PDB file of all heavy atoms in Angstrom:
ATOM      1  N   PRO A1399     112.255  -6.510 -79.590  1.00 73.00           N
ATOM      2  CA  PRO A1399     112.882  -5.373 -78.904  1.00 73.00           C
ATOM      3  C   PRO A1399     111.976  -4.733 -77.853  1.00 73.00           C
ATOM      4  O   PRO A1399     112.452  -4.228 -76.846  1.00 73.00           O
ATOM      5  CB  PRO A1399     113.179  -4.389 -80.034  1.00 73.00           C
ATOM      6  CG  PRO A1399     113.305  -5.233 -81.243  1.00 73.00           C
ATOM      7  CD  PRO A1399     112.322  -6.362 -81.041  1.00 73.00           C
ATOM      8  N   ALA A1400     110.686  -4.775 -78.068  1.00 75.00           N
ATOM      9  CA  ALA A1400     109.754  -4.169 -77.111  1.00 75.00           C
ATOM     10  C   ALA A1400     109.718  -4.933 -75.785  1.00 75.00           C
ATOM     11  O   ALA A1400     109.241  -4.404 -74.780  1.00 75.00           O
ATOM     12  CB  ALA A1400     108.358  -4.099 -77.711  1.00 75.00           C
ATOM     13  N   ASP A1401     110.228  -6.161 -75.775  1.00 74.00           N
ATOM     14  CA  ASP A1401     110.255  -6.956 -74.549  1.00 74.00           C
ATOM     15  C   ASP A1401     111.428  -6.603 -73.643  1.00 74.00           C
ATOM     16  O   ASP A1401     111.495  -7.073 -72.512  1.00 74.00           O
ATOM     17  CB  ASP A1401     110.309  -8.455 -74.883  1.00 74.00           C
ATOM     18  CG  ASP A1401     109.007  -8.949 -75.492  1.00 74.00           C
ATOM     19  OD1 ASP A1401     107.974  -8.269 -75.321  1.00 74.00           O
ATOM     20  OD2 ASP A1401     109.029 -10.008 -76.141  1.00 74.00           O
ATOM     21  N   HIS A1402     112.356  -5.805 -74.137  1.00 77.00           N
ATOM     22  CA  HIS A1402     113.509  -5.422 -73.313  1.00 77.00           C
ATOM     23  C   HIS A1402     113.004  -4.597 -72.133  1.00 77.00           C
ATOM     24  O   HIS A1402     112.138  -3.740 -72.287  1.00 77.00           O
ATOM     25  CB  HIS A1402     114.499  -4.607 -74.153  1.00 77.00           C
ATOM     26  CG  HIS A1402     115.834  -4.453 -73.501  1.00 77.00           C
ATOM     27  ND1 HIS A1402     116.040  -3.596 -72.457  1.00 77.00           N
ATOM     28  CD2 HIS A1402     117.017  -5.066 -73.736  1.00 77.00           C
ATOM     29  CE1 HIS A1402     117.298  -3.665 -72.079  1.00 77.00           C
ATOM     30  NE2 HIS A1402     117.916  -4.561 -72.838  1.00 77.00           N
ATOM     31  N   PRO A1403     113.531  -4.831 -70.930  1.00 82.00           N
ATOM     32  CA  PRO A1403     113.018  -4.109 -69.763  1.00 82.00           C
ATOM     33  C   PRO A1403     113.169  -2.583 -69.847  1.00 82.00           C
ATOM     34  O   PRO A1403     112.389  -1.855 -69.246  1.00 82.00           O
ATOM     35  CB  PRO A1403     113.841  -4.655 -68.589  1.00 82.00           C
ATOM     36  CG  PRO A1403     114.755  -5.676 -69.128  1.00 82.00           C
ATOM     37  CD  PRO A1403     114.539  -5.815 -70.591  1.00 82.00           C
ATOM     38  N   LEU A1404     114.141  -2.109 -70.587  1.00 84.00           N
ATOM     39  CA  LEU A1404     114.348  -0.660 -70.705  1.00 84.00           C
ATOM     40  C   LEU A1404     113.706  -0.070 -71.960  1.00 84.00           C
ATOM     41  O   LEU A1404     113.857   1.125 -72.230  1.00 84.00           O
ATOM     42  CB  LEU A1404     115.848  -0.341 -70.692  1.00 84.00           C
ATOM     43  CG  LEU A1404     116.564  -0.664 -69.386  1.00 84.00           C
ATOM     44  CD1 LEU A1404     118.065  -0.478 -69.529  1.00 84.00           C
ATOM     45  CD2 LEU A1404     116.027   0.198 -68.260  1.00 84.00           C
ATOM     46  N   ALA A1405     112.992  -0.882 -72.712  1.00 87.00           N
ATOM     47  CA  ALA A1405     112.389  -0.407 -73.972  1.00 87.00           C
ATOM     48  C   ALA A1405     111.430   0.769 -73.768  1.00 87.00           C
ATOM     49  O   ALA A1405     111.513   1.743 -74.521  1.00 87.00           O
ATOM     50  CB  ALA A1405     111.692  -1.550 -74.695  1.00 87.00           C
ATOM     51  N   PRO A1406     110.540   0.744 -72.783  1.00 90.00           N
ATOM     52  CA  PRO A1406     109.637   1.898 -72.637  1.00 90.00           C
ATOM     53  C   PRO A1406     110.388   3.201 -72.346  1.00 90.00           C
ATOM     54  O   PRO A1406     110.058   4.252 -72.903  1.00 90.00           O
ATOM     55  CB  PRO A1406     108.738   1.506 -71.460  1.00 90.00           C
ATOM     56  CG  PRO A1406     108.804   0.024 -71.409  1.00 90.00           C
ATOM     57  CD  PRO A1406     110.179  -0.340 -71.880  1.00 90.00           C
ATOM     58  N   ARG A1407     111.399   3.128 -71.506  1.00 92.00           N
ATOM     59  CA  ARG A1407     112.180   4.329 -71.173  1.00 92.00           C
ATOM     60  C   ARG A1407     112.941   4.833 -72.393  1.00 92.00           C
ATOM     61  O   ARG A1407     112.938   6.029 -72.698  1.00 92.00           O
ATOM     62  CB  ARG A1407     113.152   4.008 -70.029  1.00 92.00           C
ATOM     63  CG  ARG A1407     113.998   5.170 -69.610  1.00 92.00           C
ATOM     64  CD  ARG A1407     113.167   6.167 -68.832  1.00 92.00           C
ATOM     65  NE  ARG A1407     114.043   7.235 -68.331  1.00 92.00           N
ATOM     66  CZ  ARG A1407     113.744   8.509 -68.416  1.00 92.00           C
ATOM     67  NH1 ARG A1407     112.597   8.894 -68.933  1.00 92.00           N
ATOM     68  NH2 ARG A1407     114.559   9.412 -67.958  1.00 92.00           N
ATOM     69  N   PHE A1408     113.611   3.916 -73.103  1.00 91.00           N
ATOM     70  CA  PHE A1408     114.385   4.278 -74.287  1.00 91.00           C
ATOM     71  C   PHE A1408     113.478   4.863 -75.367  1.00 91.00           C
ATOM     72  O   PHE A1408     113.790   5.892 -75.965  1.00 91.00           O
ATOM     73  CB  PHE A1408     115.129   3.053 -74.812  1.00 91.00           C
ATOM     74  CG  PHE A1408     116.023   3.332 -75.983  1.00 91.00           C
ATOM     75  CD1 PHE A1408     117.300   3.833 -75.789  1.00 91.00           C
ATOM     76  CD2 PHE A1408     115.601   3.095 -77.273  1.00 91.00           C
ATOM     77  CE1 PHE A1408     118.139   4.091 -76.861  1.00 91.00           C
ATOM     78  CE2 PHE A1408     116.426   3.351 -78.357  1.00 91.00           C
ATOM     79  CZ  PHE A1408     117.696   3.857 -78.140  1.00 91.00           C
ATOM     80  N   THR A1409     112.353   4.222 -75.600  1.00 92.00           N
ATOM     81  CA  THR A1409     111.413   4.696 -76.619  1.00 92.00           C
ATOM     82  C   THR A1409     110.860   6.068 -76.253  1.00 92.00           C
ATOM     83  O   THR A1409     110.739   6.950 -77.110  1.00 92.00           O
ATOM     84  CB  THR A1409     110.269   3.682 -76.818  1.00 92.00           C
ATOM     85  OG1 THR A1409     110.831   2.421 -77.172  1.00 92.00           O
ATOM     86  CG2 THR A1409     109.307   4.121 -77.902  1.00 92.00           C
ATOM     87  N   GLY A1410     110.536   6.262 -74.983  1.00 94.00           N
ATOM     88  CA  GLY A1410     110.031   7.563 -74.547  1.00 94.00           C
ATOM     89  C   GLY A1410     111.041   8.682 -74.746  1.00 94.00           C
ATOM     90  O   GLY A1410     110.695   9.780 -75.194  1.00 94.00           O
ATOM     91  N   LEU A1411     112.300   8.404 -74.442  1.00 94.00           N
ATOM     92  CA  LEU A1411     113.342   9.421 -74.631  1.00 94.00           C
ATOM     93  C   LEU A1411     113.553   9.723 -76.108  1.00 94.00           C
ATOM     94  O   LEU A1411     113.715  10.885 -76.496  1.00 94.00           O
ATOM     95  CB  LEU A1411     114.647   8.965 -73.976  1.00 94.00           C
ATOM     96  CG  LEU A1411     114.640   8.948 -72.444  1.00 94.00           C
ATOM     97  CD1 LEU A1411     115.886   8.254 -71.916  1.00 94.00           C
ATOM     98  CD2 LEU A1411     114.527  10.352 -71.888  1.00 94.00           C
ATOM     99  N   HIS A1412     113.532   8.696 -76.942  1.00 92.00           N
ATOM    100  CA  HIS A1412     113.695   8.950 -78.369  1.00 92.00           C
ATOM    101  C   HIS A1412     112.460   9.600 -78.975  1.00 92.00           C
ATOM    102  O   HIS A1412     112.577  10.383 -79.921  1.00 92.00           O
ATOM    103  CB  HIS A1412     114.083   7.671 -79.120  1.00 92.00           C
ATOM    104  CG  HIS A1412     115.552   7.604 -79.310  1.00 92.00           C
ATOM    105  ND1 HIS A1412     116.221   8.362 -80.251  1.00 92.00           N
ATOM    106  CD2 HIS A1412     116.499   6.921 -78.655  1.00 92.00           C
ATOM    107  CE1 HIS A1412     117.504   8.126 -80.159  1.00 92.00           C
ATOM    108  NE2 HIS A1412     117.701   7.259 -79.192  1.00 92.00           N
TER     109      HIS A1412
END
Side-chain angles (χ1 to χ4, degrees):
D1401 291 340
H1402 194 285
L1404 295 173
R1407 180 74 175 134
F1408 183 83
T1409 303
L1411 290 170
H1412 263 284

